[in-house]
Amino acid sequence: MSASERTLLDVRDLRVSYGGRRGARAAVDGVSLSVAPEETLGLVGESGSGKTTVARCVAGLLRPGAGTVTFEGRPLGRAGRRPPELQRAVQMVFQDPRSSLNPRMTVASIIAEVWRTHPVTAPEGDRTEALHRLLADMGLDPEVAARRAGDLSGGQCQRVSIARALAVRPRLLVCDEAVSALDVSVQAQILRLLVDLRGRHRLAMLFISHDLGVVHQIADRVAVMHRGLIVEEGRTGEVLTAPRHAYTRALLDAALDLDDPVPEDGTADGRAVV
Ligand SMILES: Nc1ncnc2c1ncn2[C@@H]1O[C@H](COP(=O)(O)OP(=O)(O)OP(=O)(O)O)[C@@H](O)[C@H]1O
Ligand SMILES: [Mg+2]
């Protein structure tokens, strides 16, 4: 297999500057990365290093100033202009489950909407039954279908966000701090769910987090961002146990020892947060 056949997502020389102020440092200053089919790439780095900016370009929510984003060799472009199969192929799960779902909509109508938008993914038989199966896949009871998003817990909301993404059978899931806003115990459950779904649906993931402990659990490879650049990249175990770059070492020093239990209160004092 050639390298290009093994690449699902390819980001080349991505540059983004917000506001266009002359001389201002670019938020993303020449980032290249790739994700193979069924692979999870963790993207880590301190706040403001440019992780979300990269994710927004991949999701087509932001147009880069320069560089390319391709999926199986096809340019991805802006979300609204993507051909439907590319729109479906790349789905995103955001940090704040409450603000990424319309609180007044029921879960059933949230899922019905995506099936309407992508009719090829809509179930052929009984839709209620298919919806209940989808919810069960996410560890949610069927009764959740009739509830409004605004009445759900944070963990339930995030499961619904994941259901909405998976309802259109994506190939790549971009998770931007998808577990960061959740309680530590819920965080662990959602991580397990993502690992399980990834295997069953043969998903690739771009998994963004400032939490090295979380990335350690889920990523095959990790890329470390610092001030708009990727400063180090490699197999997760290697980067997190034998970092080559001083910035990665500093991140690790600031983080919890990966073997330490997460503190009960889940506060940043345990420094899984950098
Ligand atoms: N809409 C915007 N307008 C202007 N500047 C922005 C905007 N979004 C991000 N930035 C700036 O771009 C840089 C990268 O931000 P980005 O949100 O991509 O970082 P991040 O790594 O996701 O951070 P965090 O871990 O806090 O989510 C930061 O300096 C940020 O202040
Ligand atoms: Mg971010």
Side-chain angles (χ1 to χ4, degrees):
M1 221 194 273
S2 77
S4 62
E5 277 169 323
R6 287 197 305 270
T7 299
L8 193 67
L9 175 74
D10 188 65
V11 172
R12 275 306 107 194
D13 301 322
L14 197 71
R15 272 167 227 279
V16 177
S17 296
Y18 290 104
R21 196 155 50 83
R22 264 189 112 87
R25 188 167 57 82
V28 168
D29 199 10
V31 160
S32 299
L33 57 84
S34 63
V35 183
E38 300 181 50
E39 181 187 43
T40 297
L41 175 69
L43 190 58
V44 303
E46 69 195 346
S47 182
S49 57
K51 306 178 298 294
T52 294
T53 304
V54 171
R56 285 168 58 79
C57 292
V58 171
L61 304 172
L62 185 67
R63 195 194 340 229
T68 56
V69 182
T70 59
F71 190 86
E72 289 181 325
R74 299 165 69 188
L76 272 174
R78 294 294 289 266
R81 305 221 180 109
R82 290 179 182 178
E85 72 275 14
L86 277 183
Q87 248 180 52
R88 292 201 284 114
V90 181
Q91 292 291 312
M92 187 139 176
V93 178
F94 297 93
Q95 170 164 4
D96 183 0
R98 290 185 195 281
S99 64
S100 63
L101 299 173
N102 180 338
R104 287 186 299 278
M105 280 174 81
T106 64
V107 171
S109 53
I110 288 167
I111 303 299
E113 188 177 60
V114 293
W115 278 337
R116 224 175 8 256
T117 311
H118 297 286
V120 294
T121 61
E124 297 204 335
D126 185 334
R127 288 210 181 178
T128 306
E129 206 181 289
L131 172 63
H132 289 173
R133 260 202 316 275
L134 177 68
L135 295 179
D137 240 17
M138 305 300 139
L140 291 167
D141 291 334
E143 56 94 16
V144 167
R147 309 248 309 264
R148 290 180 200 283
D151 298 333
L152 301 175
S153 71
Q156 285 173 322
C157 269
Q158 202 56 310
R159 287 176 197 267
V160 172
S161 300
I162 298 166
R164 180 178 60 177
L166 291 197
V168 299
R169 302 202 293 269
R171 313 263 309 280
L172 173 75
L173 204 56
V174 180
C175 297
D176 187 3
E177 305 280 5
V179 299
S180 307
L182 305 170
D183 289 351
V184 174
S185 63
V186 180
Q187 207 177 73
Q189 290 168 14
I190 300 290
L191 262 186
R192 269 197 299 277
L193 176 69
L194 285 171
V195 168
D196 171 50
L197 292 170
R198 170 179 72 179
R200 283 195 284 131
H201 297 269
R202 309 184 64 176
L203 287 168
M205 282 193 206
L206 177 59
F207 190 91
I208 294 169
S209 180
H210 55 257
D211 186 330
L212 297 176
V214 165
V215 168
H216 188 237
Q217 290 180 54
I218 199 164
D220 301 305
R221 277 191 305 127
V222 61
V224 181
M225 274 194 87
H226 179 49
R227 296 167 68 94
L229 294 167
I230 289 179
V231 294
E232 177 161 4
E233 189 183 345
R235 309 293 312 166
T236 304
E238 289 164 23
V239 172
L240 298 189
T241 53
R244 289 189 307 267
H245 196 281
Y247 176 68
T248 314
R249 281 197 290 275
L251 268 187
L252 280 163
D253 284 347
L256 253 190
D257 181 336
L258 295 175
D259 297 326
D260 279 355
V262 177
E264 287 272 287
D265 61 0
T267 55
D269 209 17
R271 289 292 188 212
V273 184
V274 288

